[in-house]
Amino acid sequence: MQNIEFTLNGSQIEVSIDPRESLLHMLRNRLGVFGPKEGCGKGECGACTVLVEHNAVNACIFPAGKVDGLEVVTIEGLQQGEHLHPIQQAFIDTGAVQCGFCTPGMILSAKDLLDHHHKPSRQEIRRAISGNICRCTGYSKIIDAIEYASKDVSKS
Amino acid sequence: MVERYLKAGSLVEAMQFLNHYEGRARVVAGATDLWVGIKNHNTKAEAFVDITGVDELKTVEISKDYIRIGSGVTFHELEKNVQIQKNLRALQEAARWMGSPQIRRMATLGGNLVSAQPAADGMVAMSALDVAVEMVGPDGTKRRTLESCYKTFGESMIDSSREIVTAFVIPLHNQAHSYFGRFHLREANALPVINCAVGAWMKEDGSWESRYILAPLGYHPARLRAMEDALAGGLLEERELYDTIEKHIEELTFRTSLVRGSAEFRKQIAVQLMHEQIIRLWYNHEQEGESDAKH
Ligand SMILES: Cc1cc2nc3c(=O)[nH]c(=O)nc-3n(C[C@H](O)[C@H](O)[C@H](O)COP(=O)(O)OP(=O)(O)OC[C@H]3O[C@@H](n4cnc5c(N)ncnc54)[C@H](O)[C@@H]3O)c2cc1C
Ligand code: FES
Ligand code: FES
């Protein structure tokens, strides 16, 4: 076991990890952070997506030891007090959530996109979520939600 | 039993860690191949040496004669890099199509080489660019050709418990052009059904040198040398070009994959894909004539 320190959703964390552990395993099983989901467990479905240093990555194949000294944001870190993040609100307003399993990952991929690109086209949105699989919605509402949120995010 | 996850701050420190463990540690870059293996318990090591914090491995330098790309440059960075867009089109196109946005954020060029997958997109593109691979190991620094880095399917000549690939050095030949094509079942899926890259440049004596690369065939990106010779005579009519490509690809042995299609399907896709890329290559040369533009 080995100790690492990092920032999780704005709070400084110290945790003991197994050096071959994934970030997803550490978040869910050691820290009780259940927003990131385990779907495929091998980088293909995007359900486990989190932000490391503002970039969307697959936590299931991301070594836990890598985040030592870095900043990690999960879906739990987006809400500001009572206020949902504009992307979260847009997913609700446009009906982009069905079972919700893919939603945390989708929203964080969308956040990576909108943080780096304020006015993406629908094609750019499609590409930005190409690493996130949704078995329920057929994607159109998700794309609507991200397009809708891009208007709010670019205002703020 | 893995004891430590070590994050190196410099190349010197990374080598010190590897030397300390005398072959029992393993380099980690983006981890997109390694951590899938870890979960399958395929990886044996006492320590992991993470090199993603090593700034020397993350630069793209351009000079009059070459571009030097650090092994730690990610596919996301490759896709966005203006020098690569301008000078190494095949590599930029490969970076654009490789993996998903999340994978491109993590995956590095060095890992793409050392994983030794025959259809690794970055290495298929590199094979059309006359690249040299730079590395550092217990005996100091050395350079290798790309092909010589492959041992067998999925196995590299580079010993990532003792050696670190530091950079890819690509000469900026006169009037060079390169393109990349890929056929996949779903965007953002691991490894394609077929990918190919083509490159050409003018030699000092005014004649043309070309590279036609296809994968997966064999254990590394395959250079179609016989086809290079057959097409060396100059531009052909489109039908004649297609027939020449078809004839050469017909003789190759493709593997049938349950996930990525039958050998016959792959062969047909390969002919189409190669034809499209060679048309792009030749058409651009015709358009630009004798200009002194590079790549
Ligand atoms: C979901 C998914 C989709 C993928 N899609 C594609 C795709 O479309 N196209 C494609 O080509 N690949 C794809 N891959 C494979 C993988 O992402 C690439 O091969 C990637 O470039 C590996 O780089 P890395 O930095 O993650 O390597 P790592 O996983 O960190 O390392 C891989 C190997 O290389 C060694 N290594 C890494 N860097 C160095 C170095 N500098 N010196 C010495 N040894 C080193 C490691 O020890 C290890 O043996 C995919 C993988 C996943 C999980
Ligand atoms: S669980 Fe990580 S990508 Fe599927
Ligand atoms: S809402 Fe169910 S998987 Fe996307």
Side-chain angles (χ1 to χ4, degrees):
Chain A
M1 298 299 279
Q2 172 180 352
N3 278 6
I4 61 164
E5 279 181 48
F6 68 104
T7 309
L8 175 63
N9 297 328
S11 306
Q12 196 62 23
I13 298 276
E14 192 177 347
V15 59
S16 190
I17 58 152
D18 171 349
R20 59 168 62 220
E21 187 167 351
S22 71
L23 174 58
L24 181 64
H25 187 271
M26 175 185 80
L27 288 170
R28 290 181 63 89
N29 298 352
R30 295 194 196 278
L31 300 173
V33 177
F34 296 118
K37 305 284 181 266
E38 176 145 24
C40 64
K42 50 183 186 173
E44 288 184 349
C45 74
C48 63
T49 303
V50 300
L51 302 178
V52 175
E53 299 288 292
H54 310 284
N55 298 327
V57 301
N58 303 112
C60 66
I61 53 168
F62 200 91
K66 229 185 219 302
V67 301
D68 195 17
L70 304 181
E71 189 186 337
V72 178
V73 173
T74 66
I75 194 71
E76 288 85 350
L78 290 200
Q79 189 169 343
Q80 299 277 315
E82 295 285 285
H83 297 284
L84 291 180
H85 187 278
I87 307 175
Q88 292 175 303
Q89 192 60 53
F91 269 63
I92 295 169
D93 293 347
T94 56
V97 182
Q98 287 190 26
C99 80
F101 192 81
C102 69
T103 312
M106 284 287 182
I107 290 178
L108 291 168
S109 287
K111 185 161 186 332
D112 180 342
L113 172 72
L114 299 184
D115 283 351
H116 297 97
H117 194 329
H118 289 317
K119 282 252 172 277
S121 64
R122 283 181 79 81
Q123 187 51 36
E124 285 164 330
I125 294 172
R126 261 187 224 112
R127 189 157 188 255
I129 57 165
S130 59
N132 295 77
I133 292 177
C134 174
R135 292 288 81 153
C136 305
T137 65
Y139 300 99
S140 322
K141 299 247 178 195
I142 292 176
I143 296 164
D144 290 348
I146 299 171
E147 194 177 30
Y148 184 73
S150 70
K151 293 173 188 140
D152 246 17
V153 171
S154 62
K155 267 190 263 151
S156 59
Chain B
M1 166 73 185
V2 185
E3 291 162 358
R4 301 291 295 167
Y5 194 96
L6 302 162
K7 289 179 78 172
S10 67
L11 194 53
V12 171
E13 192 180 25
M15 283 310 296
Q16 281 167 353
F17 287 152
L18 291 182
N19 291 340
H20 173 80
Y21 279 93
E22 298 178 324
R24 288 169 284 112
R26 182 80 177 265
V27 171
V28 185
T32 58
D33 278 319
L34 206 51
W35 241 247
V36 177
I38 290 274
K39 293 173 139 248
N40 303 333
H41 302 285
N42 290 337
T43 312
K44 293 185 179 58
E46 284 181 21
F48 292 114
V49 177
D50 190 313
I51 56 170
T52 45
V54 177
D55 287 339
E56 299 122 276
L57 302 179
K58 294 199 278 197
T59 55
V60 177
E61 294 160 38
I62 181 158
S63 77
K64 193 166 61 64
D65 302 320
Y66 61 84
I67 292 193
R68 186 176 184 279
I69 307 172
S71 66
V73 173
T74 65
F75 280 82
H76 175 85
E77 289 158 351
L78 280 178
E79 187 196 348
K80 304 287 170 201
N81 187 287
V82 178
Q83 290 303 343
I84 290 172
Q85 284 169 10
K86 202 170 118 205
N87 295 291
L88 307 175
R89 179 87 167 257
L91 188 58
Q92 193 256 339
E93 290 178 350
R96 190 191 180 288
W97 287 113
M98 185 269 186
S100 64
Q102 293 95 319
I103 294 290
R104 290 192 289 274
R105 285 274 191 206
M106 304 186 273
T108 66
L109 261 188
N112 208 241
L113 170 66
V114 182
S115 292
Q117 292 299 320
D121 291 302
M123 296 308 115
V124 168
M126 283 287 190
S127 302
L129 297 173
D130 201 20
V131 68
V133 180
E134 263 182 25
M135 63 189 73
V136 54
D139 311 325
T141 57
K142 60 181 167 193
R143 272 194 185 199
R144 305 181 79 122
T145 62
L146 191 77
E147 253 182 40
S148 75
C149 294
Y150 291 81
K151 189 189 272 179
T152 181
F153 187 85
E155 250 189 79
S156 177
M157 293 297 286
I158 295 152
D159 175 0
S160 53
S161 67
R162 296 177 194 272
E163 295 173 307
I164 297 177
V165 175
T166 48
F168 297 83
V169 182
I170 300 145
L172 287 174
H173 291 299
N174 201 19
Q175 294 203 49
H177 296 255
S178 64
Y179 300 97
F180 173 88
R182 168 181 158 125
F183 183 86
H184 45 232
L185 300 175
R186 167 172 88 80
E187 191 176 334
N189 210 345
L191 299 176
V193 173
I194 287 287
N195 55 7
C196 79
V198 298
W201 56 89
M202 192 187 267
K203 293 194 286 189
E204 287 194 348
D205 64 4
S207 64
W208 289 94
E209 172 106 24
S210 48
R211 293 278 187 281
Y212 303 121
I213 313 295
L214 193 60
L217 284 165
Y219 60 88
H220 56 65
R223 184 172 160 194
L224 308 188
R225 287 184 166 83
M227 201 170 87
E228 283 171 17
D229 293 342
L231 296 178
L235 300 188
L236 302 176
E237 290 299 320
E238 199 172 331
R239 185 73 241 174
E240 215 184 329
L241 170 65
Y242 190 90
D243 291 345
T244 309
I245 295 169
E246 193 174 37
K247 175 175 158 285
H248 281 87
I249 292 183
E250 188 53 46
E251 286 162 11
L252 304 172
T253 308
F254 290 79
R255 275 190 301 273
T256 289
S257 151
L258 284 177
V259 183
R260 297 191 178 84
S262 67
E264 191 48 39
F265 172 66
R266 287 177 138 176
K267 194 174 274 188
Q268 289 184 22
I269 299 288
V271 175
Q272 295 297 333
L273 211 55
M274 183 60 83
H275 181 243
E276 277 167 28
Q277 303 319 313
I278 295 181
I279 291 283
R280 292 174 78 197
L281 189 71
W282 287 11
Y283 179 73
N284 274 5
H285 277 168
E286 277 185 299
Q287 290 286 304
E288 289 170 21
E290 293 302 304
S291 87
D292 59 1
K294 294 201 165 186
H295 277 274

